[in-house]
């Protein structure tokens, strides 16, 4: 009798978990979207009743996880090439991909550290370590490298580069003062008071920074995901994205 | 294996060997101290020494980062006095590996010392040998196998260290990237063949170290 009770109890427990999971949506999103998406999701959860679960990491890492079969509903990356790779493998639902946001690359230095006024100053001997997103998996690092190559500074600074797990790791490394400078997005620099923006990279010197959003092919919750994608393109979401400093590329009001 | 892969393996082996240079003197002293002396608070030191074995490696990494960071107590002193940075350099790799592998060495060496009959040591003392001489001519030679086994274990552990290393030394190709970190990065980049090559090398080295270490500990009995 006791065993039966335990089995019933375990079954109930399992069912509870299962049911509660059924109402939740998994969004794989670029680390730079962390704060803005959390706020948008909190608003959305209140009105829709759906629960949003995030996996924030470097876009390249997320793409690899989706390739490996991770249960993602939505892929929201910071680099079009990461979505290209998944699209080529047929892992995104055709016709759902859109470019929704833009961003600006900035050089940050630890608050209180000697100022840097131009990228060329990164070649100074006083600058020993420069944090960049890992060059292949972290879009911010890919963009930064392209920018430094364009300015013909790459060979001079390559040896100082400390590759980081994500754009937020770059930010943390600069905050700690363990590196002398780092490349992050304007939106990341804005959330920290331990770094200062030393230089804003003009759009002409950096590759086009564009955030693709798409429904994942094997999404466990395709319908709920479609609704959330629509919400991410709504005016309400655009307000939040703009507040954090993103460029909103396709909001209904601008169409 | 490509040239870059050989270089990576060479670097990892050198880092593990360098960490042994830190581990051996500290570890031998600690092991002897724990095996031969009794004092209040000994249990506390025992626990502290073994802590990195069970603590999440990233926690050990976090502590090291706080200590050796440019704004940490040790790091800022080194930076201001010698203009020497630890974090994100090979020095951080060596320190992380040493901190993570020290407990394994101390445990093995301590057991080995405890198995040495103190009568031999006392006999040497009655013949006029000083403490250092007793240690190097009696205790250490008799505990040789255990100490060697511990050294091998620590070396193997150092080669496999990931969590603490990535926290304090990061992942700078050619300068702080060790085998496990390179394997992780290869998987992240989708370079599976590269990851498997490096994984196989790690497996071979680890197998050899554990195999020899086990044999040494068996023969002792």
């Amino acid at each position: 009798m006791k065993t039966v009770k335990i089995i019933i109890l375990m079954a109930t427990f399992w069912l509870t978990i299962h049911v509660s999971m059924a109402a939740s949506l998994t969004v794989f999103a670029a680390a730079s979207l962390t704060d803005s998406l959390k706020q948008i999701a909190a608003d959305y959860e209140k009105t829709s009743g759906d629960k949003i679960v995030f996996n924030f990491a470097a876009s390249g890492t997320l793409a690899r996880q989706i390739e490996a079969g991770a249960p993602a509903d939505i892929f929201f990356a910071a680099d079009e090439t990461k979505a290209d790779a998944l699209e080529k493998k047929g892992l995104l639902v055709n016709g759902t991909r859109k470019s929704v946001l833009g961003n600006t690359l900035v050089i940050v230095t630890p608050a209180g550290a000697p100022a840097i006024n131009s990228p060329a100053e990164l070649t100074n001997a006083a600058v020993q370590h420069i944090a960049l997103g890992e060059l292949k998996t972290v879009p911010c690092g890919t963009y930064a490298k392209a920018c430094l190559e364009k300015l013909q500074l790459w060979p001079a600074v390559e040896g100082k580069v400390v590759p980081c797990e994500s754009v937020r790791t770059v930010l943390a490394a600069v905050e700690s003062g363990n590196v002398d400078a780092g490349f992050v997005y304007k939106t990341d620099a804005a959330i920290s008071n331990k770094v200062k923006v030393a230089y804003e990279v003009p759009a002409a010197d950096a590759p086009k920074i564009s955030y693709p959003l798409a429904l994942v092919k094997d999404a466990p919750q395709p319908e709920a995901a479609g609704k959330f994608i629509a919400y991410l393109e709504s005016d309400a979401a655009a307000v939040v994205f703009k507040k954090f400093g993103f460029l909103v590329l396709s909001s209904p009001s601008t169409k | 294996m490509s040239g870059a892969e050989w270089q990576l393996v060479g670097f990892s082996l050198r880092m593990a060997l360098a960490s042994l240079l830190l581990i051996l003197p500290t570890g031998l002293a600690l092991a002897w101290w724990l095996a031969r002396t009794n004092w209040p608070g000994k249990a506390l030191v025992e626990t502290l020494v073994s802590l990195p074995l069970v603590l999440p490696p990233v926690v050990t990494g976090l502590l090291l980062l706080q200590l050796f960071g440019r704004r940490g107590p040790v790091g800022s002193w080194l930076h201001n006095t010698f203009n020497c940075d630890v974090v994100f350099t090979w020095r951080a790799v060596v320190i992380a590996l040493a901190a993570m592998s020290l407990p394994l060495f101390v445990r093995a060496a301590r057991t080995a010392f405890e198995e040495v009959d103190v009568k031999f040591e006392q006999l040497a003392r009655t013949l006029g040998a000083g403490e250092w001489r007793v240690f190097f001519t009696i205790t250490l030679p008799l505990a040789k196998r255990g100490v060697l086994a511990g050294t091998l274990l620590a070396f193997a552990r150092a080669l496999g260290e990931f969590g603490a290393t990535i926290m304090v030394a990061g992942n700078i190709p050619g300068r702080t990237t060790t085998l496990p970190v390179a394997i992780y990065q290869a998987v992240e980049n989708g370079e599976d063949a590269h990851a498997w090559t490096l994984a196989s090398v790690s497996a071979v080295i680890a197998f050899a170290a554990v195999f020899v270490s086990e044999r040494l500990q068996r023969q002792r009995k």
Side-chain angles (χ1 to χ4, degrees):
Chain A
M1 213 34 219
K2 206 174 172 188
T3 340
V4 176
K5 268 186 190 164
I6 291 174
I7 290 172
I8 291 173
L9 205 72
M10 282 171 68
T12 321
F13 185 62
W14 181 80
L15 274 172
T16 320
I17 295 176
H18 206 72
V19 168
S20 70
M21 275 175 69
S24 78
L25 208 70
T26 312
V27 178
F28 279 31
S32 50
L33 293 165
T34 307
D35 306 79
S36 49
L37 277 189
K38 273 187 184 164
Q39 191 172 330
I40 291 169
D43 294 341
Y44 182 73
E45 282 176 352
K46 266 180 243 156
T47 53
S48 70
D50 284 340
K51 185 154 171 25
I52 316 280
V53 177
F54 287 109
N55 177 17
F56 291 111
S59 301
T61 306
L62 297 174
R64 283 290 293 162
Q65 290 171 349
I66 292 172
E67 270 176 46
D73 290 296
I74 295 170
F75 181 55
F76 199 166
D79 183 347
E80 298 287 347
T81 62
K82 304 299 179 214
D84 292 344
L86 287 186
E87 205 160 43
K88 215 177 282 168
K89 293 196 168 108
L91 293 166
L92 301 178
V93 177
N94 285 336
T96 60
R97 179 176 163 185
K98 289 158 201 126
S99 302
V100 283
L101 296 175
N103 213 336
T104 311
L105 207 57
V106 295
I107 301 176
V108 286
T109 51
I116 288 170
N117 301 310
S118 75
E121 284 179 39
L122 293 174
T123 59
N124 290 354
V127 179
Q128 290 176 351
H129 297 298
I130 305 167
L132 248 60
E134 205 281 330
L135 305 175
K136 286 179 190 156
T137 55
V138 186
C140 180
T142 316
Y143 295 139
K145 185 188 175 195
C147 162
L148 288 164
E149 276 174 342
K150 183 155 194 208
L151 298 170
Q152 298 184 323
L153 295 170
W154 181 250
V157 300
E158 191 179 359
K160 302 178 178 187
V161 168
V162 176
C164 297
E165 286 263 284
S166 81
V167 63
R168 289 301 163 92
T169 322
V170 176
L171 189 69
V174 179
E175 284 180 337
S176 72
N178 287 324
V179 296
D180 305 290
F183 277 77
V184 297
Y185 300 115
K186 197 174 150 187
T187 50
D188 301 293
I191 59 155
S192 168
N193 51 17
K194 292 183 201 147
V195 302
K196 60 170 186 268
V197 175
Y199 181 80
E200 198 171 304
V201 178
D205 285 342
K208 188 166 183 288
I209 299 169
S210 167
Y211 287 64
L213 169 67
L215 182 62
V216 177
K217 177 89 180 308
D218 297 319
Q221 306 280 340
E223 273 172 45
K227 281 184 208 156
F228 186 56
I229 288 179
Y231 184 77
L232 287 171
E233 293 177 278
S234 71
D235 283 339
V239 168
V240 180
F241 282 129
K242 279 179 190 157
K243 190 185 91 187
F244 279 92
F246 287 97
L247 304 164
V248 177
L249 303 180
S250 63
S251 78
S253 55
T254 55
K255 266 175 201 165
Chain B
M1 277 207 340
S2 72
E5 284 168 335
W6 279 113
Q7 231 168 9
L8 178 68
V9 173
F11 174 77
S12 297
L13 289 170
R14 281 204 304 281
M15 289 295 106
L17 283 171
S19 75
L20 284 183
L21 293 181
L22 282 182
I23 291 170
L24 283 174
T26 340
L28 281 175
L30 267 171
W32 184 87
W33 199 34
L34 292 172
R36 283 290 180 270
T37 60
N38 255 316
W39 26 278
K42 181 175 159 183
L44 200 70
V45 174
E46 277 174 329
T47 312
L48 278 176
V49 169
S50 293
L51 212 53
L53 275 182
V54 283
L55 210 60
V58 286
V59 175
T60 308
L62 180 68
L63 292 171
L64 293 174
L65 191 63
Q66 287 296 320
L67 273 177
F68 290 98
R70 223 184 254 176
R71 290 177 189 166
V74 184
S76 61
W77 178 77
L78 285 170
H79 182 73
N80 297 330
T81 322
F82 303 105
N83 192 24
C84 159
D85 281 332
V86 176
V87 169
F88 298 135
T89 67
W90 66 270
R91 298 176 196 98
V93 180
V94 175
I95 291 170
L97 300 188
M100 293 302 295
S101 319
L102 183 72
L104 278 176
F105 176 77
V106 172
R107 287 169 89 89
R110 183 190 170 177
T111 315
F113 288 155
E114 280 171 348
E115 279 173 8
V116 174
D117 197 330
V118 284
K119 277 190 208 126
F120 295 123
E121 295 177 358
Q122 278 157 2
L123 192 65
R125 278 188 205 108
T126 61
L127 294 171
E131 285 305 316
W132 286 101
R133 187 150 180 218
V134 171
F135 179 77
F136 283 108
T137 56
I138 307 291
T139 321
L140 193 56
L142 284 174
K144 190 178 64 189
R145 285 185 186 284
V147 170
L148 218 59
T151 311
L152 276 167
L153 273 183
F155 177 72
R157 174 74 184 86
L159 270 177
E161 217 297 308
F162 178 85
T165 313
I166 198 148
M167 291 283 278
V168 277
N171 174 17
I172 309 178
R175 286 192 297 151
T176 68
T177 303
T178 56
L179 262 175
V181 178
I183 293 171
Y184 174 75
Q185 194 59 56
V187 175
E188 287 270 281
N189 292 351
E191 299 158 352
D192 286 358
H194 181 48
W196 279 111
T197 310
L198 298 177
S200 316
V201 177
S202 303
V204 168
I205 300 172
F207 182 88
V210 176
F211 185 79
V212 177
S213 168
E214 284 289 311
R215 299 215 48 134
L216 282 169
Q217 289 193 320
R218 288 272 142 84
Q219 281 174 26
R220 193 176 54 185
K221 272 149 202 168

